[in-house]
Amino acid sequence: MTLPTDALAVPEAPISCDLSKPLVATESLREGQVIFYETAFVSSTGPTLLEGHHEEVCDDEECEGCVEVSNLDENEMHQVSDDVVDDFDALMTYCETKEALEAVDVHKNLFKLLHLYELDSTSLRDLLHLPVADDPVPSFLDAAIGLRAAHPNVVPLGLSENDLAHLIGVVNKYSIPLDEIDSTGLFLYVSQLQHSCLPNACFTDAGDSLWVTAIAPIAAGEAVTVDFYNFYYQPWMERQAVLADAKCICHCDLCLGHLPDKTRAFKCVSCANGIVHPTKDVFACASCGAVWDNELVHKATGEEATLMEELEVFTAASLRQIMDASMLHAYHHIFYTTCSTLMSESIDETLTPEQALVVYQELLNSLNYVVTYPHASKLQLLNLMAQTCVGLGRIDTAKMHYEAAHAMSCRVFGSTCGESKMFLELAENTPTTVDEMAALYGFEDDDDEVDDDDRDNENDEESPDPLDRAQSSHSTIGNVW
């Protein structure tokens, strides 16, 4: 991803800067407006896989290596103290014994913070005021005391054990994944956004930075909220379990029980196309208003529990048969998740491009019904549908999907980020072949020089079916983020 050109950094951005309170908009914000961007205070990669080395329990014949190793790359060596560099292996061994420090990216972020403190003892002032708990969590304090005892040279003398414990809590609580660079970063302002399962904003990573976009109009003085846990298609009970574990309280209407849980969708027995959802313990149809009695609820939830435990399918056709015979609606999270997995992991090798288009549309219908706000998953499906249409030669339909993808990208990422500009180009100059499409996505073949012998060998081989190429490109071109 590329940062939007109109992204503002704090304090120029239209948000409050008081880190002791939830961040609020200081002016009215429109949907699709980039609110601010922030570069990580520190960021670190996790463990790397050692190619050719396997765990004793590994029995995967296709595994290329599953032994994880922790190290500091060349850039990271300049971001930690010399003592950390010299004692890194011993430090890793110690950290593995402490739950609060066992994550590689977490303890590397901590060591970088300690080095910043050595250079300037005031540099961590804001971090030390971020709320973690009323008192130092015992595991954090235990890790802090043990770290100073085992490696006294690593911990600056002026930093108390309580402050060290607080920093350990901060890097555990506020580190945010940076998927693009396979890291986690510590962010002051993004981490202080309020969580909501029904957010009015979202954040996107680009390198070691994040930017926040309004996905709904936000009034001046209104809190800017994001879905920190990617809950968009998770059922209410699973959300509550995660929130309780994270000690996070969500005040959205869904969590308060004012709205039905649309991820649990059942077929109404009283009207033709009605969908029944639970609101707290009441199962009612969204169309005709019929309320299920205990017998119907028991029957439906019993089937739901069975499918949760036993559902295993390998083709979209077999999943469709189960869906047709089930009390659960196609929008139910079990079917949505199963279908998404089938498509994203290319499990169903029998699926034709035409059939794939139908499945993509069904997934998009599910998202549009359950997730009422703009979301990157909708954009990805529109992108895949457009690609497949190009492969099938349905250029007018591909253009329509690219136009929808551009509109969604503007709402999720802002109109000036690179991806939105790319979708605008695809909509205005829709490719007519798979090769043209690959070029517009930046997947051109860089090998301009081909030996004559190689060219002859290529000509002897059967030419690849462009539809096959369109399908196989989904895992690369499709995932442009």
Side-chain angles (χ1 to χ4, degrees), residues 267-278:
K267 299 170 186 173
C268 182
V269 297
S270 301
C271 64
N273 298 309
I275 307 176
V276 172
H277 306 290

Side-chain angles (χ1 to χ4, degrees), residues 59-223:
D59 57 1
D60 185 354
E61 295 180 357
E62 298 182 1
C63 178
E64 297 179 356
C66 54
V67 173
E68 293 184 340
V69 293
S70 305
N71 51 36
L72 292 169
D73 62 34
E74 188 173 346
N75 289 330
E76 289 180 317
M77 288 185 181
H78 300 293
Q79 299 172 35
V80 298
S81 68
D82 292 339
D83 290 312
V84 169
V85 174
D86 294 339
D87 297 341
F88 189 73
D89 290 340
L91 280 167
M92 294 304 98
T93 301
Y94 170 78
C95 290
E96 288 172 0
T97 68
K98 301 295 180 181
E99 182 180 356
L101 292 173
E102 63 183 355
V104 173
D105 48 349
V106 165
H107 59 242
K108 285 165 70 173
N109 278 339
L110 176 66
F111 297 144
K112 292 175 183 180
L113 292 179
L114 297 182
H115 185 51
L116 290 175
Y117 183 90
E118 287 180 332
L119 299 175
D120 179 2
S121 61
T122 67
S123 61
L124 307 185
R125 183 171 49 205
D126 288 334
L127 289 179
L128 289 170
H129 283 91
L130 290 179
V132 174
D134 293 336
D135 297 303
V137 175
S139 62
F140 297 159
L141 188 56
D142 175 66
I145 293 171
L147 180 61
R148 170 160 270 159
H151 300 277
N153 293 338
V154 169
V155 182
L157 291 175
L159 195 66
S160 70
E161 287 172 350
N162 278 343
D163 282 346
L164 178 57
H166 191 89
L167 287 178
I168 293 173
V170 166
V171 293
N172 272 277
K173 182 174 182 178
Y174 295 112
S175 291
I176 296 175
L178 297 169
D179 294 335
E180 190 174 84
I181 57 174
D182 195 24
S183 300
T184 62
L186 192 59
F187 295 86
L188 275 174
Y189 291 95
V190 173
S191 65
Q192 290 308 104
L193 294 172
Q194 192 169 310
H195 166 79
S196 175
C197 302
L198 300 173
N200 57 25
C202 66
F203 61 85
T204 310
D205 64 301
D208 64 349
S209 297
L210 295 174
W211 80 85
V212 179
T213 310
I215 56 174
I218 303 175
E222 182 181 353

Side-chain angles (χ1 to χ4, degrees), residues 181-318:
I181 57 174
D182 195 24
S183 300
T184 62
L186 192 59
F187 295 86
L188 275 174
Y189 291 95
V190 173
S191 65
Q192 290 308 104
L193 294 172
Q194 192 169 310
H195 166 79
S196 175
C197 302
L198 300 173
N200 57 25
C202 66
F203 61 85
T204 310
D205 64 301
D208 64 349
S209 297
L210 295 174
W211 80 85
V212 179
T213 310
I215 56 174
I218 303 175
E222 182 181 353
V224 179
T225 61
V226 296
D227 177 5
F228 273 116
Y229 305 97
N230 210 24
F231 278 156
Y232 67 101
Y233 222 109
Q234 278 190 258
W236 184 87
M237 289 186 66
E238 290 183 12
R239 297 178 190 219
Q240 298 311 303
V242 173
L243 291 171
D245 186 59
K247 296 180 174 58
C248 175
I249 299 174
C250 180
H251 298 286
C252 76
D253 285 340
L254 182 60
C255 285
L256 293 175
H258 299 159
L259 292 176
D261 182 0
K262 288 187 173 182
T263 68
R264 296 180 68 197
F266 303 87
K267 299 170 186 173
C268 182
V269 297
S270 301
C271 64
N273 298 309
I275 307 176
V276 172
H277 306 290
T279 303
K280 293 187 176 179
D281 295 327
V282 177
F283 285 66
C285 177
S287 297
C288 70
V291 177
W292 279 4
D293 59 22
N294 290 338
E295 183 179 351
L296 268 176
V297 170
H298 180 73
K299 183 178 179 181
T301 55
E303 182 182 343
E304 180 184 46
T306 300
L307 286 172
M308 280 287 288
E309 289 290 329
E310 300 178 3
L311 182 61
E312 185 177 22
V313 294
F314 300 98
T315 67
S318 59

